[in-house]
Amino acid sequence: QVQLVESGGGLVQAGASLRLSCAASGRSFSGYGMGWFRQAPGKKERDFLATISWSGGFTYYADSVKDRFTISRDVAKKTVYLDMDSLELEDTAIYYCAAGLIGGEQYDYWGQGTQVTVSS
């Protein structure tokens, strides 16, 4: 059973940094891309933030966060991270981790999400 479990969310002040973690289990993720998404309050859709290939370290970011967020992974720990700097009020959202086959049309597995709230 594949599980993606996010952690590290919380309440922070604007300008602070935060690291989110996504612990992956239940299968080999070789050949998979791992992504971070977020769903802001009142929005139905989840916005793509960043992705990283499990094996090769390829990364890609949404333009809106590429200067402030960094995605990384620790293969030995089967954990993906999202380091977020200079947090803004608009970063308040539920953050989700996802996994999907590279070249696939969608992400197949999703975590339950972790809440990040940025206050002024």
Side-chain angles (χ1 to χ4, degrees), residues 34-110:
M34 309 298 291
W36 283 99
F37 294 74
R38 68 185 179 190
Q39 186 172 9
K43 289 188 69 174
K44 291 185 178 180
E45 67 276 9
R46 297 177 183 177
D47 295 326
F48 166 79
L49 298 175
T51 188
I52 187 168
S53 61
W54 187 261
S55 300
F58 167 81
T59 59
Y60 180 78
Y61 295 89
D63 287 341
S64 59
V65 301
K66 64 181 181 180
D67 295 329
R68 298 187 295 121
F69 291 6
T70 303
I71 191 171
S72 61
R73 89 273 186 255
D74 186 322
V75 173
K77 293 183 178 179
K78 298 190 78 172
T79 300
V80 181
Y81 303 99
L82 185 68
D83 289 295
M84 305 184 293
D85 296 324
S86 302
L87 284 165
E88 303 168 352
L89 300 180
E90 293 73 21
D91 294 318
T92 294
I94 301 174
Y95 285 69
Y96 296 91
C97 175
L101 279 170
I102 293 174
E105 296 183 350
Q106 62 184 16
Y107 284 84
D108 302 306
Y109 306 105
W110 292 83

Side-chain angles (χ1 to χ4, degrees), residues 7-9 18-22 36 80-84 95 114 116:
S7 60
L18 200 62
R19 166 175 268 201
L20 304 182
S21 300
C22 172
W36 283 99
V80 181
Y81 303 99
L82 185 68
D83 289 295
M84 305 184 293
Y95 285 69
T114 186
V116 173

